[in-house]
Amino acid sequence: MNETKQGESLVLNQKPENTKKLFIESYGCAMNFSDSEVVASILFENGFNTTQILEEADLVLVNTCSIRDKAEQTIRKRLQKYNAVKRDVNPKMKVGVLGCMAERLKDKFLEEEKIVDLVVGPDAYKDLPNLLQEVEEGRDAINVILSKDETYGDISPVRLMTNGVSALVSITRGCDNMCTFCVVPFTRGRERSREPQSILKEIEDLWKTGYKEITLLGQNVDSYLWYGGGLKKDFGNASEMQKATAVDFDQLLEMVAVNFPKMRIRFSTSNPQDMHLSILQVIAKYPNICKHIHLPVQSGSNRILAAMNRLHTREEYMKLIDNIRNTIPECSITQDMIAGFPTETEADHQDTLSLMDYVKYDFGYMYSYSERPGTLAGRKMEDDVLETTKLRRLQEIVDKQRKHSAFRTKEFVGKTVEILIEKESKKSDQDWSGRNSQSITAVFPKENYKIGEFVNVKITDCTSGTLIGEAVGYSEMN
């Protein structure tokens, strides 16, 4: 799953009777940000209001990512900051680590380094009140047991980093794809899907409170499958009635689109092996489903894809791209790419560049390979590509992506696109900023429009990542 930038919580839900304050930060993928909203909801019902002021917090939590070493180093620096505030300003403050890094480094944090008071894995958030009680009684607290069925479908998340317009809705947890470079199956466990009615209820609540866009979220949303609960592997043992009433991702997507025709719908992240034609047909059918697919490929080399245990070939991926272009001609496609995976040769790297030329992605998330302890690649493969070679190959990938992004944004110049206004432009307080269906940002003069409105914008210019235009009226989605 692609990464999201870190941000601080907004103080939204406040109870006068809540006497404690929670400061929570999130790093890594969108699922971590969604989980933080679940955590805030659980603690809100147990006496904690949220705060943006670190120094006044009774409890500081950081929701962590383990996907790359750089992410872990960033979080370690934040823990140093928290503990400095605890030492110098607020000795009663408690510090905890949540998420993937918590599961992976639990012993180091609590026993060796002694830099946190509690460690809570991605499936143990409902146990937080009990763990905090243990901390209050002077004991270290830890729960990192991976659940086989927890989806938090019964919890209404407290919306933290929100503009009041767009929200995340988690539909699956965990991952069954054992990519050799990825820690997610070890930190989040097996795939399990959330009951569809609880998903629809959460979206209904969002709609009633004024939200205009939701993102259906999971490590691999396309493998969503609900037939009454349990792991995906149990489906083979399900009764014929259960199979007949099962809901898979294209059915869920259609249910959401039909039930909320004025709500704009996104989803992330997809896996090429599970992106079936039926999903593409649903996307094409409903105008409120955004025409954007994030489709991580990681490499353009069949040899490297096999070493990564990616369950698709270069040719299968290219055929999928053709199906997307034929079924949804206006669809944007974005990527994740890893440079310098173990044993990668110059020929493998050229295969990646040629694949990029074939697809011409709209944008992407590109990284040099970072060995993660506990993964098959970390245990079995030598990290044998020189760092200088990794960085040079990564730069070539980034440079090519910039050219392709510029090519894709230029295609919109002269066209009128529907934009959902999300916020004020970073560069000018006279402009609004929002995204089109293809998830490309557009900026335009504010005039009398407001955040949360759908506006038709005539595109007059662009950069490699931003559309520039003028509003020409409201869209039919209002």
Side-chain angles (χ1 to χ4, degrees):
M1 180 178 291
N2 54 285
E3 287 197 352
T4 304
K5 292 183 179 179
Q6 177 269 336
E8 293 182 346
S9 64
L10 298 175
V11 183
L12 295 176
N13 292 16
Q14 302 284 296
K15 281 184 182 179
E17 62 268 32
N18 281 358
T19 59
K20 297 181 180 181
K21 294 182 178 180
L22 165 69
F23 179 93
I24 186 167
E25 288 186 326
S26 303
Y27 292 81
C29 68
M31 182 63 78
N32 274 6
F33 287 81
S34 178
D35 281 358
S36 290
E37 295 181 338
V38 168
V39 167
S41 179
I42 291 168
L43 293 177
F44 179 69
E45 298 301 326
N46 285 271
F48 286 86
N49 288 331
T50 54
T51 179
Q52 289 180 286
I53 303 172
L54 173 62
E55 290 76 10
E56 71 177 18
D58 298 283
L59 175 62
V60 175
L61 298 175
V62 57
N63 202 340
T64 62
C65 174
S66 266
I67 199 164
R68 276 178 298 280
D69 182 66
K70 183 179 179 181
E72 291 195 358
Q73 295 308 314
T74 299
I75 290 160
R76 286 188 176 278
K77 289 179 182 178
R78 292 305 292 164
L79 288 172
Q80 291 174 2
K81 168 70 173 178
Y82 303 155
N83 280 291
V85 171
K86 180 177 180 179
R87 181 188 65 240
D88 300 333
V89 180
N90 186 357
K92 294 183 179 180
M93 176 190 291
K94 304 300 180 184
V95 177
V97 172
L98 312 175
C100 297
M101 194 172 169
E103 198 283 335
R104 199 177 75 75
L105 295 175
K106 49 189 178 290
D107 296 328
K108 272 185 170 291
F109 284 148
L110 275 177
E111 297 172 15
E112 297 177 32
E113 301 178 17
K114 299 185 183 301
I115 55 175
V116 299
D117 300 293
L118 72 160
V119 175
V120 189
D123 290 341
Y125 298 142
K126 287 183 180 178
D127 197 31
L128 264 167
N130 297 327
L131 296 174
L132 288 172
Q133 183 62 39
E134 297 225 357
V135 170
E136 290 297 327
E137 293 171 0
R139 296 188 296 274
D140 291 334
I142 182 170
N143 187 340
V144 294
I145 297 173
L146 293 177
S147 171
K148 292 184 178 181
D149 51 24
E150 182 59 78
T151 63
Y152 298 104
D154 57 335
I155 292 176
S156 178
V158 168
R159 303 296 166 180
L160 293 175
M161 299 180 328
T162 180
N163 51 13
V165 175
S166 304
L168 303 172
V169 178
S170 175
I171 66 169
T172 70
R173 297 184 71 82
C175 184
D176 288 349
N177 299 311
M178 301 297 289
C179 299
T180 58
F181 56 83
C182 186
V183 298
V184 168
F186 306 105
T187 57
R188 288 190 173 272
R190 294 292 306 277
E191 284 182 7
R192 60 268 192 202
S193 297
R194 182 176 164 190
E195 195 271 326
Q197 290 305 317
S198 75
I199 296 170
L200 294 174
K201 177 63 168 61
E202 182 175 339
I203 298 171
E204 182 180 17
D205 291 343
L206 288 167
W207 174 252
K208 288 179 178 178
T209 52
Y211 284 83
K212 300 296 181 66
E213 179 181 278
I214 53 101
T215 299
L216 303 176
L217 197 63
Q219 258 73 37
N220 182 14
V221 291
D222 305 317
S223 66
Y224 176 90
L225 178 62
W226 188 90
Y227 64 93
L231 293 174
K232 205 169 62 165
K233 69 175 183 179
D234 295 331
F235 185 68
N237 299 321
S239 69
E240 290 304 314
M241 181 175 291
Q242 284 177 316
K243 291 178 182 179
T245 58
V247 177
D248 59 16
F249 183 61
D250 61 278
Q251 292 169 311
L252 176 70
L253 192 57
E254 186 161 31
M255 289 167 63
V256 176
V258 169
N259 280 277
F260 305 97
K262 295 293 186 179
M263 179 77 86
R264 198 153 75 166
I265 304 158
R266 301 187 186 276
F267 59 89
S268 184
T269 292
S270 296
N271 193 302
Q273 74 201 47
D274 295 311
M275 176 57 74
H276 303 302
L277 184 59
S278 57
I279 298 173
L280 303 181
Q281 290 168 339
V282 171
I283 296 170
K285 183 177 180 181
Y286 295 96
N288 58 328
I289 300 178
C290 289
K291 306 307 185 269
H292 167 229
I293 298 174
H294 185 67
L295 200 63
V297 64
Q298 310 302 356
S299 174
S301 161
N302 278 335
R303 193 181 67 81
I304 295 299
L305 288 171
M308 290 176 167
N309 196 36
R310 299 288 288 175
L311 301 180
H312 62 85
T313 64
R314 171 190 176 93
E315 291 75 22
E316 289 168 338
Y317 187 90
M318 293 168 75
K319 182 178 180 181
L320 175 56
I321 296 297
D322 293 342
N323 284 337
I324 294 172
R325 300 288 190 217
N326 291 332
T327 309
I328 321 166
E330 71 274 31
C331 190
S332 65
I333 303 172
T334 56
Q335 48 88 349
D336 288 352
M337 203 77 75
I338 297 174
F341 189 79
T343 78
E344 184 185 72
T345 66
E346 204 60 34
D348 296 322
H349 174 58
Q350 291 301 320
D351 282 346
T352 293
L353 296 178
S354 69
L355 178 68
M356 293 180 70
D357 284 332
Y358 185 84
V359 181
K360 291 185 175 61
Y361 295 100
D362 291 73
F363 54 92
Y365 301 87
M366 298 147 285
Y367 314 96
S368 60
Y369 174 70
S370 173
E371 183 180 286
R372 309 313 298 135
T375 62
L376 185 62
R379 289 184 283 114
K380 301 289 187 180
M381 300 179 190
E382 181 185 355
D383 188 3
D384 59 354
V385 180
L386 293 175
E387 192 64 25
T388 53
T389 302
K390 287 182 187 179
L391 294 177
R392 189 259 302 165
R393 290 175 183 170
L394 176 61
Q395 191 59 53
E396 290 177 3
I397 290 171
V398 170
D399 290 344
K400 186 171 287 290
Q401 183 56 62
R402 284 183 179 143
K403 291 179 182 178
H404 292 161
S405 294
F407 170 78
R408 291 301 183 190
T409 54
K410 284 178 183 176
E411 291 183 317
F412 287 95
V413 174
K415 297 180 179 179
T416 298
V417 299
E418 181 186 77
I419 302 296
L420 173 59
I421 302 174
E422 297 176 300
K423 58 188 177 182
E424 193 175 86
S425 169
K426 290 180 180 179
K427 294 187 176 180
S428 171
D429 61 7
Q430 300 301 305
D431 292 341
W432 287 129
S433 173
R435 288 176 296 164
N436 65 0
S437 178
Q438 289 76 18
S439 200
I440 300 172
T441 297
V443 295
F444 57 94
K446 284 183 175 179
E447 299 183 33
N448 295 319
Y449 299 105
K450 298 179 178 62
I451 289 176
E453 292 181 331
F454 288 95
V455 180
N456 290 323
V457 176
K458 175 85 175 285
I459 304 304
T460 56
D461 200 358
C462 69
T463 67
S464 63
T466 305
L467 304 175
I468 301 166
E470 298 177 353
V472 293
Y474 293 106
S475 85
E476 294 179 357
M477 282 286 284
N478 279 314

